[in-house]
Amino acid sequence: MSLFTIGEQDFMLNGKPHRILAGALHYFRVHPDQWADRIRKARQMGLNTIETYVAWNMHAPTPDTFDTTGGLDLGRFLDLVAAEGLHAIVRPGPYICAEWDNGGLPAWLFGSGNPVIRSSDPVYMNLVRRYFEQLAPILVPRQIDAGGPIILVQIENEYGAYGADKDYLQELVELNRQIGLSVPFTTVDQPEPDMLDNGSLPGLHKTGSFGSRAKERLATLRQHQPTGPLMCSEFWVGWFDHWGAHHHTTAAGQAAQELEDLLAAGASVNIYMFHGGTNFGFTNGANDKGVFQPTVTSYDYDSPLDESGHPTAKYWAFREILARYTELDEHDVPAAKEEACSLELPLTQELSLWDYFDATADWTGSQELTSTDAMGHYSGFSVYRTQVQASAQAVLEFEEVRDRAQVFLNRQHVGTLSRDQKETSLVLPAHSGGTLEVLLEDQGRVNYGPRLGEPKGLIGSARLNGVPLKNWQVSPLQLLAGGPVSQAFDGVPQQQVEVLAGPVFARATFDHPVAGDLYFATHHWSKGLVWVNGFCLGRYWARGPQQTLYVPGTLLKPTGNEVLVLELHSATRAMVSFVAEHNLGHTES
């Protein structure tokens, strides 16, 4: 067993000064069979610590479940960190931001007695207490003083940018101690005086989050943390992307110089991100600062280790800097990147989304529109329907669309409304009558700011030529687990697909005898989702910047792999292409 404390000037490991050289690696963004590889490459770069958030909403998809299996086995992840000889920093939130759906807060939380989130509200804190009690058996025995890797635990996350409820922070501290956490606690905020003051307590060690002007930011941090070690616990070395915007990068040399400035000042660091990973499935978050902007599937973040786990120029530049501050074996380096193969294959089965939906729908009726949250459906797609009748052209208008609505009349597409374009109305053709259906996509919940926790769906009222539309039904579209969709293809004839007109599922099989990753090329496709062997890779969209989806090689087998695509609009070619290079789009500094 060891002892880790915060001294008057330094972090102290067994009574000796210790500098934390950490890298962020979120277990929930990396396939579990690849955890060990990514952790080892962190050590090989010169890091001595792995930092991770804990995503409450992933572990608790419903109030009555707490999943720690497979890719959510946090205990196994921390054990792999320890096996590599590294320490761990854990940031359990409960709020994490992280460009993650709802900032890690479960969507069901907001229907549990109207809690006031991120506050000392008793309803909220009771739910948070249960979450931390569920985490305790994983974290407590893995602390450094119990022989485990955990040296620090963070209280909340950049709270000074959100609120100033000191009672809330104090209750979190007490709760973390009550469940058995004994390691030092920290907070993190951007180095702005108000944020540093509001986001911490006198007994908590303040750290900073920034990506440039290290000397200046550390000086500000020192004014608010007069004793103990300085630490940038989110050293931003890249950035995340939104659909329809550019892919962000920072020059390796520039980022390395910022790291050098930080370390030369004597500070500890957590590189955010060391390895970003992927927003698989429907896990991406969104931002809304006047315009709704969902985050792309890739969380590459222009990190030292790219989305597919390979060292970049930034990795080697950082390794050179870190070698000045820690001992490195010059021969212990990651193996050369294996070449990915290119592969093209025809789609051999197609299935209308409506055929699948009609067989699986679970309708809930109401006079007025209701959110998808109200029926316990918290991600992905749903379908709203009602009956309409208009003798002339008619304007269909919704009060608010969250987040994208494809509108169909008698199963014929009549238009699409998009939240990011602030579109809420469209014109139905003359003599419109019959069944109006809206295929509604939740494109990711806001992860930062005052819109945390907002419900999804068609919100408020619906009108046809100004007259309220009533008698609605709504049903989830059950998609995330690829198995049910794949099973729906039983009995569908095998033949080469010539044209794809969505919304439609399409399927193909392929062999992959050579081990390694693949990259699904999306440039022939419009918008939709991809599954490989039942695992949802995430969303694609012709808007870019992302133009490929990462396929972890650990998902693949030598023969009989299945690729399944949901195309919402149309594809220019009814083919599946895997390419040799990951393409995340155009760049900007």
Side-chain angles (χ1 to χ4, degrees):
M1 293 191 298
S2 298
L3 181 66
F4 189 85
T5 59
I6 298 177
E8 284 297 312
Q9 293 183 319
D10 301 287
F11 291 114
M12 306 296 290
L13 178 61
N14 295 326
K16 296 180 180 180
H18 177 80
R19 189 201 297 258
I20 296 173
L21 302 173
L25 172 61
H26 301 155
Y27 62 97
F28 46 86
R29 280 185 160 124
V30 179
H31 192 280
D33 292 342
Q34 297 174 326
W35 287 346
D37 171 77
R38 303 329 191 227
I39 293 166
R40 175 161 295 148
K41 287 171 178 171
R43 180 186 57 75
Q44 290 171 320
M45 194 178 81
L47 302 181
N48 58 27
T49 305
I50 295 293
E51 175 271 309
T52 186
Y53 282 125
V54 180
W56 183 8
N57 57 0
M58 288 296 285
H59 289 282
T62 71
D64 301 321
T65 57
F66 197 77
D67 187 2
T68 57
T69 62
L72 297 174
D73 191 346
L74 174 58
R76 175 173 172 261
F77 177 80
L78 293 170
D79 291 344
L80 289 171
V81 171
E84 200 61 46
L86 302 181
H87 294 141
I89 299 171
V90 178
R91 302 204 279 173
Y95 164 77
I96 64 172
C97 185
E99 292 72 59
W100 188 255
D101 188 58
N102 224 23
L105 298 174
W108 54 258
L109 180 79
F110 300 86
S112 303
N114 298 315
V116 181
I117 62 166
R118 305 184 74 185
S119 80
S120 54
D121 169 63
V123 175
Y124 176 66
M125 285 306 301
N126 283 337
L127 295 167
V128 170
R129 175 174 293 278
R130 182 173 62 180
Y131 162 52
F132 276 87
E133 288 172 347
Q134 291 166 321
L135 278 182
I138 301 170
L139 301 183
V140 172
R142 290 179 172 87
Q143 297 179 99
I144 191 167
D145 54 8
I150 300 173
I151 57 172
L152 292 175
V153 169
Q154 183 180 289
I155 301 298
E156 244 278 352
N157 187 61
E158 291 191 321
Y159 185 65
Y162 182 86
D165 185 343
K166 300 294 187 177
D167 290 339
Y168 169 51
L169 295 177
Q170 187 59 47
E171 286 191 40
L172 281 179
V173 170
E174 293 170 0
L175 174 55
N176 276 270
R177 291 295 182 214
Q178 287 166 6
I179 66 168
L181 293 175
S182 54
V183 296
F185 295 162
T186 63
T187 56
V188 62
D189 283 287
Q190 296 177 45
E192 299 289 339
D194 287 349
M195 293 184 185
L196 288 166
D197 287 341
N198 293 337
S200 194
L201 295 170
L204 295 174
H205 191 77
K206 299 180 181 70
T207 71
S209 55
F210 53 86
S212 61
R213 308 202 319 262
K215 296 176 183 177
E216 172 189 337
R217 267 88 188 247
L218 288 173
T220 302
L221 178 60
R222 178 54 83 199
Q223 293 172 6
H224 296 263
Q225 182 59 56
T227 65
L230 291 171
M231 182 173 183
C232 178
S233 58
E234 277 194 29
F235 176 55
W236 304 324
V237 299
W239 207 244
F240 54 92
D241 296 333
H242 293 125
W243 291 113
H246 288 92
H247 173 50
H248 295 78
T249 63
T250 55
Q254 174 188 344
Q257 184 58 56
E258 293 288 354
L259 178 60
E260 168 71 17
D261 291 345
L262 188 66
L263 297 178
S268 287
V269 67
N270 175 46
I271 294 168
Y272 192 97
M273 299 288 299
F274 163 70
H275 172 56
T278 308
N279 296 315
F280 294 119
F282 298 132
T283 58
N284 66 279
N287 284 279
D288 193 336
K289 300 177 182 178
V291 176
F292 179 73
Q293 295 181 293
T295 306
V296 303
T297 298
S298 171
Y299 200 64
D300 176 85
Y301 213 87
D302 196 34
S303 301
L305 209 64
D306 71 16
E307 184 182 0
S308 54
H310 298 297
T312 66
K314 195 172 287 181
Y315 181 99
W316 300 112
F318 282 15
R319 191 176 191 273
E320 182 179 345
I321 299 296
L322 289 164
R324 303 170 192 171
Y325 298 91
T326 188
E327 292 186 14
L328 281 175
D329 181 348
E330 62 180 86
H331 302 294
D332 184 16
V333 296
K337 178 179 180 179
E338 294 181 358
E339 290 298 320
C341 67
S342 298
L343 179 66
E344 187 168 82
L345 53 137
L347 293 160
T348 55
Q349 288 177 294
E350 62 177 322
L351 175 70
S352 164
L353 175 140
W354 296 117
D355 288 344
Y356 171 75
F357 175 71
D358 288 342
T360 58
D362 182 15
W363 293 105
T364 298
S366 64
Q367 276 289 102
E368 309 290 339
L369 283 174
T370 184
S371 70
T372 59
D373 296 56
M375 64 174 181
H377 184 58
Y378 299 117
S379 66
F381 292 79
S382 52
V383 176
Y384 289 78
R385 78 177 179 190
T386 191
Q387 299 298 311
V388 297
Q389 191 68 46
S391 57
Q393 277 193 342
V395 176
L396 173 66
E397 183 176 11
F398 298 103
E399 188 172 327
E400 191 172 355
V401 173
R402 297 180 188 165
D403 300 308
R404 191 171 188 269
Q406 291 175 246
V407 182
F408 298 83
L409 185 61
N410 300 322
R411 297 278 162 95
Q412 299 299 307
H413 185 250
V414 293
T416 299
L417 304 174
S418 185
R419 176 179 177 180
D420 66 337
Q421 301 296 316
K422 301 185 183 297
E423 298 165 330
T424 57
S425 64
L426 54 78
V427 176
L428 299 182
H431 309 293
S432 296
T435 302
L436 180 78
E437 289 173 299
V438 180
L439 178 59
L440 194 288
E441 181 184 4
D442 165 1
Q443 294 187 290
R445 291 174 187 260
V446 171
N447 54 254
Y448 183 88
R451 302 198 74 144
L452 281 166
E454 63 181 11
K456 292 289 191 172
L458 296 175
I459 306 299
S461 62
R463 295 177 179 273
L464 189 65
N465 280 347
V467 179
L469 273 177
K470 305 285 188 178
N471 298 316
W472 287 92
Q473 291 181 301
V474 60
S475 171
L477 178 59
Q478 303 292 351
L479 282 182
L480 195 53
V485 182
S486 180
Q487 293 165 17
F489 276 90
D490 293 346
V492 175
Q494 294 262 0
Q495 59 185 16
Q496 184 165 337
V497 177
E498 300 296 335
V499 178
L500 272 179
V504 63
F505 294 100
R507 183 175 178 268
T509 57
F510 65 98
D511 296 337
H512 186 56
V514 180
D517 301 330
L518 293 175
Y519 308 105
F520 180 94
T522 65
H523 51 279
H524 296 310
W525 303 84
S526 297
K527 191 177 194 309
L529 296 164
V530 180
W531 293 259
V532 169
N533 292 335
F535 183 89
C536 188
L537 302 179
R539 313 176 205 248
Y540 65 86
W541 199 353
R543 293 176 66 175
Q546 185 172 352
Q547 297 172 23
T548 55
L549 290 175
Y550 172 56
V551 186
T554 49
L555 289 176
L556 303 170
K557 50 192 179 181
T559 60
N561 296 284
E562 176 196 66
V563 58
L564 182 66
V565 184
L566 168 60
E567 171 55 55
L568 297 172
H569 296 285
S570 63
T572 58
R573 295 179 65 217
M575 302 285 290
V576 165
S577 298
F578 295 105
V579 293
E581 292 293 331
H582 210 4
N583 188 342
L584 299 178
H586 301 294
T587 63
E588 65 178 13
S589 296

